Short mmCIF file of all heavy atoms in Angstrom, two decimals:
data_model
loop_
_atom_site.label_atom_id
_atom_site.label_comp_id
_atom_site.label_asym_id
_atom_site.label_seq_id
_atom_site.Cartn_x
_atom_site.Cartn_y
_atom_site.Cartn_z
N THR A 28 -5.16 -16.77 6.88
CA THR A 28 -3.75 -17.18 7.00
C THR A 28 -2.92 -16.00 6.53
O THR A 28 -2.70 -15.82 5.32
CB THR A 28 -3.48 -18.44 6.17
OG1 THR A 28 -4.38 -19.47 6.59
CG2 THR A 28 -2.05 -18.90 6.38
N PHE A 29 -2.45 -15.22 7.46
CA PHE A 29 -1.86 -13.92 7.12
C PHE A 29 -0.65 -14.06 6.21
O PHE A 29 -0.45 -13.26 5.31
CB PHE A 29 -1.49 -13.18 8.40
CG PHE A 29 -1.06 -11.76 8.18
CD1 PHE A 29 -1.97 -10.82 7.74
CD2 PHE A 29 0.26 -11.37 8.40
CE1 PHE A 29 -1.58 -9.51 7.52
CE2 PHE A 29 0.66 -10.06 8.19
CZ PHE A 29 -0.27 -9.12 7.75
N SER A 30 0.15 -15.06 6.42
CA SER A 30 1.38 -15.22 5.64
C SER A 30 1.10 -15.57 4.18
O SER A 30 2.02 -15.52 3.36
CB SER A 30 2.27 -16.29 6.26
OG SER A 30 1.58 -17.52 6.31
N SER A 31 -0.14 -15.89 3.85
CA SER A 31 -0.48 -16.23 2.46
C SER A 31 -1.19 -15.11 1.74
O SER A 31 -1.57 -15.28 0.57
CB SER A 31 -1.34 -17.50 2.42
OG SER A 31 -2.60 -17.25 2.97
N VAL A 32 -1.37 -13.97 2.39
CA VAL A 32 -2.04 -12.84 1.73
C VAL A 32 -1.05 -11.70 1.51
O VAL A 32 -0.24 -11.39 2.38
CB VAL A 32 -3.27 -12.33 2.50
CG1 VAL A 32 -4.31 -13.42 2.63
CG2 VAL A 32 -2.90 -11.79 3.87
N ALA A 33 -1.17 -11.10 0.34
CA ALA A 33 -0.45 -9.85 0.09
C ALA A 33 -1.30 -8.71 0.63
O ALA A 33 -2.53 -8.82 0.70
CB ALA A 33 -0.21 -9.68 -1.41
N MET A 34 -0.64 -7.63 1.02
CA MET A 34 -1.34 -6.54 1.67
C MET A 34 -1.06 -5.21 0.98
O MET A 34 0.04 -4.99 0.45
CB MET A 34 -0.90 -6.43 3.13
CG MET A 34 -1.18 -7.66 3.98
SD MET A 34 -2.96 -7.94 4.22
CE MET A 34 -3.40 -6.48 5.17
N GLY A 35 -2.03 -4.34 1.04
CA GLY A 35 -1.83 -3.01 0.48
C GLY A 35 -2.50 -1.95 1.33
O GLY A 35 -3.37 -2.25 2.17
N TRP A 36 -2.06 -0.74 1.13
CA TRP A 36 -2.71 0.43 1.73
C TRP A 36 -3.22 1.32 0.60
O TRP A 36 -2.53 1.54 -0.40
CB TRP A 36 -1.73 1.23 2.59
CG TRP A 36 -1.39 0.59 3.90
CD1 TRP A 36 -0.33 -0.23 4.17
CD2 TRP A 36 -2.10 0.73 5.14
NE1 TRP A 36 -0.34 -0.61 5.49
CE2 TRP A 36 -1.41 -0.04 6.11
CE3 TRP A 36 -3.23 1.43 5.54
CZ2 TRP A 36 -1.83 -0.13 7.45
CZ3 TRP A 36 -3.65 1.34 6.86
CH2 TRP A 36 -2.95 0.58 7.80
N PHE A 37 -4.43 1.80 0.79
CA PHE A 37 -5.06 2.74 -0.13
C PHE A 37 -5.52 3.94 0.67
O PHE A 37 -5.62 3.89 1.90
CB PHE A 37 -6.25 2.08 -0.84
CG PHE A 37 -5.85 1.00 -1.81
CD1 PHE A 37 -5.45 -0.26 -1.37
CD2 PHE A 37 -5.87 1.23 -3.18
CE1 PHE A 37 -5.07 -1.26 -2.26
CE2 PHE A 37 -5.50 0.25 -4.08
CZ PHE A 37 -5.10 -1.00 -3.61
N ARG A 38 -5.83 5.02 -0.03
CA ARG A 38 -6.38 6.18 0.65
C ARG A 38 -7.45 6.82 -0.21
O ARG A 38 -7.43 6.69 -1.44
CB ARG A 38 -5.28 7.18 1.01
CG ARG A 38 -4.56 7.82 -0.16
CD ARG A 38 -3.37 8.64 0.34
NE ARG A 38 -2.66 9.32 -0.74
CZ ARG A 38 -1.54 9.99 -0.57
NH1 ARG A 38 -0.99 10.09 0.64
NH2 ARG A 38 -0.96 10.59 -1.61
N GLN A 39 -8.33 7.52 0.46
CA GLN A 39 -9.47 8.10 -0.24
C GLN A 39 -9.88 9.41 0.42
O GLN A 39 -9.94 9.51 1.65
CB GLN A 39 -10.65 7.13 -0.23
CG GLN A 39 -11.83 7.53 -1.08
CD GLN A 39 -12.85 6.43 -1.17
OE1 GLN A 39 -12.99 5.59 -0.28
NE2 GLN A 39 -13.60 6.41 -2.28
N ILE A 40 -10.13 10.41 -0.42
CA ILE A 40 -10.70 11.67 0.05
C ILE A 40 -12.12 11.75 -0.50
O ILE A 40 -12.44 11.12 -1.51
CB ILE A 40 -9.86 12.88 -0.37
CG1 ILE A 40 -9.72 12.97 -1.89
CG2 ILE A 40 -8.49 12.82 0.28
CD1 ILE A 40 -8.98 14.20 -2.35
N PRO A 41 -13.00 12.50 0.17
CA PRO A 41 -14.41 12.55 -0.25
C PRO A 41 -14.56 12.94 -1.72
O PRO A 41 -13.93 13.88 -2.20
CB PRO A 41 -15.01 13.61 0.68
CG PRO A 41 -14.16 13.57 1.89
CD PRO A 41 -12.77 13.29 1.39
N GLY A 42 -15.40 12.19 -2.42
CA GLY A 42 -15.68 12.49 -3.81
C GLY A 42 -14.66 11.97 -4.80
O GLY A 42 -14.80 12.19 -6.01
N LYS A 43 -13.63 11.31 -4.29
CA LYS A 43 -12.59 10.79 -5.18
C LYS A 43 -12.52 9.26 -5.09
O LYS A 43 -13.03 8.65 -4.15
CB LYS A 43 -11.22 11.37 -4.77
CG LYS A 43 -11.14 12.88 -4.85
CD LYS A 43 -11.03 13.35 -6.28
CE LYS A 43 -10.73 14.84 -6.33
NZ LYS A 43 -10.57 15.32 -7.72
N ASP A 44 -11.87 8.67 -6.08
CA ASP A 44 -11.65 7.23 -6.05
C ASP A 44 -10.65 6.86 -4.96
O ASP A 44 -9.88 7.70 -4.50
CB ASP A 44 -11.12 6.74 -7.40
CG ASP A 44 -12.15 6.86 -8.51
OD1 ASP A 44 -13.35 6.85 -8.20
OD2 ASP A 44 -11.72 6.95 -9.68
N ARG A 45 -10.68 5.60 -4.58
CA ARG A 45 -9.70 5.09 -3.62
C ARG A 45 -8.39 4.87 -4.37
O ARG A 45 -8.34 4.13 -5.35
CB ARG A 45 -10.23 3.79 -3.03
CG ARG A 45 -9.53 3.35 -1.78
CD ARG A 45 -10.32 2.23 -1.09
NE ARG A 45 -11.57 2.72 -0.53
CZ ARG A 45 -12.37 1.98 0.24
NH1 ARG A 45 -12.02 0.75 0.54
NH2 ARG A 45 -13.50 2.47 0.71
N ASP A 46 -7.33 5.51 -3.90
CA ASP A 46 -6.05 5.47 -4.59
C ASP A 46 -5.07 4.52 -3.92
O ASP A 46 -4.98 4.46 -2.69
CB ASP A 46 -5.41 6.87 -4.62
CG ASP A 46 -6.16 7.83 -5.52
OD1 ASP A 46 -6.80 7.37 -6.48
OD2 ASP A 46 -6.08 9.04 -5.26
N PHE A 47 -4.30 3.86 -4.74
CA PHE A 47 -3.23 2.98 -4.26
C PHE A 47 -2.14 3.81 -3.59
O PHE A 47 -1.74 4.86 -4.10
CB PHE A 47 -2.64 2.20 -5.42
CG PHE A 47 -1.37 1.47 -5.10
CD1 PHE A 47 -1.40 0.32 -4.32
CD2 PHE A 47 -0.15 1.95 -5.55
CE1 PHE A 47 -0.22 -0.34 -4.01
CE2 PHE A 47 1.02 1.29 -5.25
CZ PHE A 47 0.99 0.14 -4.47
N VAL A 48 -1.65 3.30 -2.46
CA VAL A 48 -0.54 3.96 -1.77
C VAL A 48 0.70 3.08 -1.80
O VAL A 48 1.76 3.49 -2.28
CB VAL A 48 -0.92 4.28 -0.31
CG1 VAL A 48 0.28 4.88 0.44
CG2 VAL A 48 -2.12 5.22 -0.24
N ILE A 49 0.56 1.85 -1.29
CA ILE A 49 1.75 1.03 -1.15
C ILE A 49 1.33 -0.43 -0.98
O ILE A 49 0.23 -0.72 -0.49
CB ILE A 49 2.60 1.53 0.05
CG1 ILE A 49 4.04 1.03 -0.01
CG2 ILE A 49 1.93 1.21 1.38
CD1 ILE A 49 4.98 1.82 0.89
N PHE A 50 2.23 -1.34 -1.38
CA PHE A 50 1.94 -2.78 -1.40
C PHE A 50 3.11 -3.55 -0.81
O PHE A 50 4.28 -3.14 -0.96
CB PHE A 50 1.71 -3.22 -2.85
CG PHE A 50 1.80 -4.70 -3.07
CD1 PHE A 50 0.67 -5.49 -2.92
CD2 PHE A 50 3.00 -5.31 -3.41
CE1 PHE A 50 0.75 -6.87 -3.12
CE2 PHE A 50 3.08 -6.67 -3.62
CZ PHE A 50 1.95 -7.46 -3.47
N ILE A 51 2.78 -4.70 -0.19
CA ILE A 51 3.82 -5.59 0.28
C ILE A 51 3.41 -7.03 -0.03
O ILE A 51 2.24 -7.40 0.13
CB ILE A 51 4.11 -5.40 1.78
CG1 ILE A 51 5.35 -6.17 2.22
CG2 ILE A 51 2.90 -5.77 2.64
CD1 ILE A 51 5.89 -5.75 3.58
N SER A 52 4.36 -7.82 -0.46
CA SER A 52 4.09 -9.20 -0.83
C SER A 52 3.90 -10.08 0.41
O SER A 52 4.10 -9.64 1.54
CB SER A 52 5.24 -9.75 -1.67
OG SER A 52 6.45 -9.76 -0.91
N GLN A 53 3.53 -11.32 0.16
CA GLN A 53 3.20 -12.24 1.24
C GLN A 53 4.36 -12.40 2.23
O GLN A 53 4.16 -12.43 3.44
CB GLN A 53 2.81 -13.61 0.67
CG GLN A 53 1.49 -13.66 -0.09
CD GLN A 53 1.60 -13.28 -1.54
OE1 GLN A 53 2.49 -12.53 -1.94
NE2 GLN A 53 0.67 -13.78 -2.35
N SER A 54 5.54 -12.50 1.69
CA SER A 54 6.71 -12.70 2.56
C SER A 54 7.29 -11.40 3.09
O SER A 54 8.10 -11.41 4.02
CB SER A 54 7.81 -13.42 1.76
OG SER A 54 8.32 -12.55 0.76
N GLY A 55 6.87 -10.29 2.50
CA GLY A 55 7.45 -9.00 2.86
C GLY A 55 8.68 -8.66 2.06
O GLY A 55 9.27 -7.60 2.25
N GLY A 56 9.07 -9.53 1.14
CA GLY A 56 10.29 -9.31 0.39
C GLY A 56 10.16 -8.32 -0.75
O GLY A 56 11.18 -7.82 -1.25
N SER A 57 8.95 -8.05 -1.18
CA SER A 57 8.74 -7.12 -2.29
C SER A 57 7.73 -6.05 -1.90
O SER A 57 6.70 -6.35 -1.29
CB SER A 57 8.21 -7.86 -3.51
OG SER A 57 9.13 -8.82 -3.96
N THR A 58 8.05 -4.82 -2.24
CA THR A 58 7.14 -3.71 -2.00
C THR A 58 7.13 -2.81 -3.22
O THR A 58 8.07 -2.78 -4.02
CB THR A 58 7.54 -2.87 -0.77
OG1 THR A 58 8.81 -2.25 -1.02
CG2 THR A 58 7.63 -3.72 0.49
N VAL A 59 6.04 -2.08 -3.36
CA VAL A 59 5.96 -1.06 -4.39
C VAL A 59 5.07 0.05 -3.86
O VAL A 59 4.12 -0.21 -3.12
CB VAL A 59 5.41 -1.64 -5.72
CG1 VAL A 59 3.98 -2.11 -5.58
CG2 VAL A 59 5.54 -0.63 -6.84
N SER A 60 5.41 1.29 -4.21
CA SER A 60 4.63 2.42 -3.70
C SER A 60 4.27 3.38 -4.83
O SER A 60 4.91 3.40 -5.89
CB SER A 60 5.41 3.16 -2.61
OG SER A 60 6.64 3.64 -3.11
N ALA A 61 3.26 4.16 -4.57
CA ALA A 61 2.86 5.20 -5.52
C ALA A 61 3.94 6.28 -5.57
O ALA A 61 4.64 6.52 -4.58
CB ALA A 61 1.53 5.81 -5.08
N ASP A 62 4.07 6.91 -6.71
CA ASP A 62 5.09 7.95 -6.87
C ASP A 62 4.92 9.07 -5.85
O ASP A 62 5.90 9.65 -5.37
CB ASP A 62 5.02 8.54 -8.28
CG ASP A 62 5.53 7.57 -9.33
OD1 ASP A 62 6.23 6.60 -8.95
OD2 ASP A 62 5.24 7.78 -10.52
N SER A 63 3.68 9.35 -5.48
CA SER A 63 3.39 10.46 -4.58
C SER A 63 3.93 10.25 -3.17
O SER A 63 4.09 11.21 -2.40
CB SER A 63 1.89 10.73 -4.51
OG SER A 63 1.21 9.56 -4.08
N VAL A 64 4.22 9.01 -2.82
CA VAL A 64 4.70 8.72 -1.45
C VAL A 64 6.09 8.11 -1.43
O VAL A 64 6.63 7.84 -0.36
CB VAL A 64 3.72 7.81 -0.69
CG1 VAL A 64 2.32 8.39 -0.69
CG2 VAL A 64 3.71 6.40 -1.27
N LYS A 65 6.67 7.91 -2.60
CA LYS A 65 7.99 7.29 -2.68
C LYS A 65 9.00 8.09 -1.88
O LYS A 65 9.06 9.32 -1.97
CB LYS A 65 8.44 7.21 -4.14
CG LYS A 65 8.69 5.80 -4.62
CD LYS A 65 9.02 5.79 -6.09
CE LYS A 65 8.61 4.52 -6.69
NZ LYS A 65 7.43 4.25 -7.29
N GLY A 66 9.80 7.38 -1.10
CA GLY A 66 10.82 8.04 -0.30
C GLY A 66 10.30 8.57 1.02
O GLY A 66 11.09 8.98 1.88
N ARG A 67 8.99 8.59 1.21
CA ARG A 67 8.41 9.08 2.47
C ARG A 67 7.66 8.00 3.23
O ARG A 67 7.69 7.98 4.46
CB ARG A 67 7.44 10.25 2.18
CG ARG A 67 8.07 11.44 1.49
CD ARG A 67 7.10 12.60 1.40
NE ARG A 67 5.90 12.29 0.62
CZ ARG A 67 4.66 12.37 1.09
NH1 ARG A 67 4.45 12.77 2.34
NH2 ARG A 67 3.63 12.08 0.31
N PHE A 68 6.98 7.13 2.52
CA PHE A 68 6.18 6.07 3.16
C PHE A 68 6.87 4.72 2.96
O PHE A 68 7.41 4.44 1.89
CB PHE A 68 4.80 5.99 2.53
CG PHE A 68 3.87 7.13 2.81
CD1 PHE A 68 4.32 8.32 3.36
CD2 PHE A 68 2.51 7.02 2.53
CE1 PHE A 68 3.46 9.38 3.62
CE2 PHE A 68 1.63 8.06 2.78
CZ PHE A 68 2.12 9.24 3.32
N THR A 69 6.82 3.90 3.98
CA THR A 69 7.29 2.53 3.86
C THR A 69 6.27 1.58 4.46
O THR A 69 5.50 1.95 5.36
CB THR A 69 8.64 2.31 4.56
OG1 THR A 69 8.51 2.68 5.94
CG2 THR A 69 9.75 3.12 3.91
N ILE A 70 6.26 0.37 3.96
CA ILE A 70 5.35 -0.65 4.44
C ILE A 70 6.17 -1.82 4.97
O ILE A 70 7.24 -2.14 4.44
CB ILE A 70 4.39 -1.10 3.31
CG1 ILE A 70 3.30 -2.02 3.86
CG2 ILE A 70 5.16 -1.74 2.15
CD1 ILE A 70 2.19 -2.33 2.84
N SER A 71 5.68 -2.43 6.03
CA SER A 71 6.33 -3.62 6.57
C SER A 71 5.24 -4.51 7.15
O SER A 71 4.10 -4.09 7.32
CB SER A 71 7.35 -3.23 7.65
OG SER A 71 6.72 -2.57 8.73
N ARG A 72 5.62 -5.73 7.44
CA ARG A 72 4.65 -6.66 8.01
C ARG A 72 5.35 -7.57 9.00
O ARG A 72 6.54 -7.86 8.87
CB ARG A 72 3.95 -7.47 6.92
CG ARG A 72 4.86 -8.39 6.13
CD ARG A 72 4.11 -8.98 4.93
NE ARG A 72 3.02 -9.86 5.33
CZ ARG A 72 2.01 -10.20 4.53
NH1 ARG A 72 1.96 -9.73 3.29
NH2 ARG A 72 1.06 -11.01 4.97
#
């Protein structure tokens, strides 16, 4: 049930941990992003 799940994007380079990129809440009303992508990346659903 897609509307009941929150979603996120992560990224990973070889040999490194999977890093948080950006998040969006179930309704799409709240988002938060990593400092490294702030102002450049946006998430929507």
Side-chain angles (χ1 to χ4, degrees):
T28 304
F29 188 68
S30 59
S31 68
V32 299
M34 299 293 295
W36 286 93
F37 291 76
R38 64 188 182 186
Q39 188 171 27
I40 59 176
K43 299 285 189 178
D44 292 335
R45 196 167 291 187
D46 290 333
F47 168 74
V48 176
I49 199 163
F50 164 88
I51 189 166
S52 63
Q53 291 85 334
S54 68
S57 298
T58 64
V59 64
S60 60
D62 288 343
S63 58
V64 305
K65 240 175 208 93
R67 300 187 299 122
F68 290 14
T69 57
I70 188 171
S71 62
R72 64 189 295 161

